[in-house]
Amino acid sequence: MSLNTWLLFVTTVFFVSATPGPNMLLAMTHGIHYGVRRTLMTCFGLMTALGLIMFGSAAGLGAVLATSELLFSLVKYAGAAYLIYLGIKTWRSQPQPVEEVRGAASGKHTPWGMFRTGFLVAMSNPKAFIFFTALFPQFMNAQQPQGPQLAILAATFYVIEASWQLAYAGGGARLAGWLNSARRLKLVNKVSGGAFVGAGVLLSSVSRH
């Protein structure tokens, strides 16, 4: 892999990762409510899922999803249902002062609960498998060993994606002081919940192509 090819990959992934989507929305929402330090578990869940998606794509799962309408639809509707569920749950949640939420240590506020939510959100989109299957080969030299190239691309993607997640979480945390009122937090819950529902509805309409 040449340096120019790698730099082109960096530029592509930088802008793709920066685009707001369910992963970044979740990182920002958790950053608002829980702060950057606790949101690291959410990001860890997101990145764990993305690692599995990349591995699955390299192993051929992306190609299977691209050719099997039934399997693609099952994964797609399951993911859409989870995003819609998460959106309704967020929409209906009662606003709590940010400091109270950050100090909570039970239920959905546990590190495991935040990791699980991040993992499930990232795994909810079957299109991601096809995305990695289609993206990585564009930057790989077929005449050179594939393993090292794949490792470089995966590591590069990981660094850029994780950086953007932390940036969104940090942005949310900085907004927490201004949002620390019942009216504003209720608005955040409505906007975030509506965005997750919208993402779920959009996901349910995507095709394999």
Side-chain angles (χ1 to χ4, degrees), residues 27-66:
M28 185 179 69
T29 302
H30 279 195
I32 291 172
H33 290 293
Y34 311 122
V36 176
R37 184 175 62 84
R38 294 184 66 183
T39 303
L40 289 176
M41 287 303 298
T42 304
C43 296
F44 185 47
L46 291 167
M47 296 307 297
T48 299
L50 288 173
L52 289 176
I53 290 172
M54 282 192 286
F55 179 80
S57 298
L61 182 55
V64 173
L65 285 170

Side-chain angles (χ1 to χ4, degrees), residues 78-93:
Y82 179 73
L83 288 177
I84 292 172
Y85 159 77
L86 185 62
I88 293 174
K89 188 176 181 181
T90 302
W91 179 285
R92 297 179 62 185
S93 63

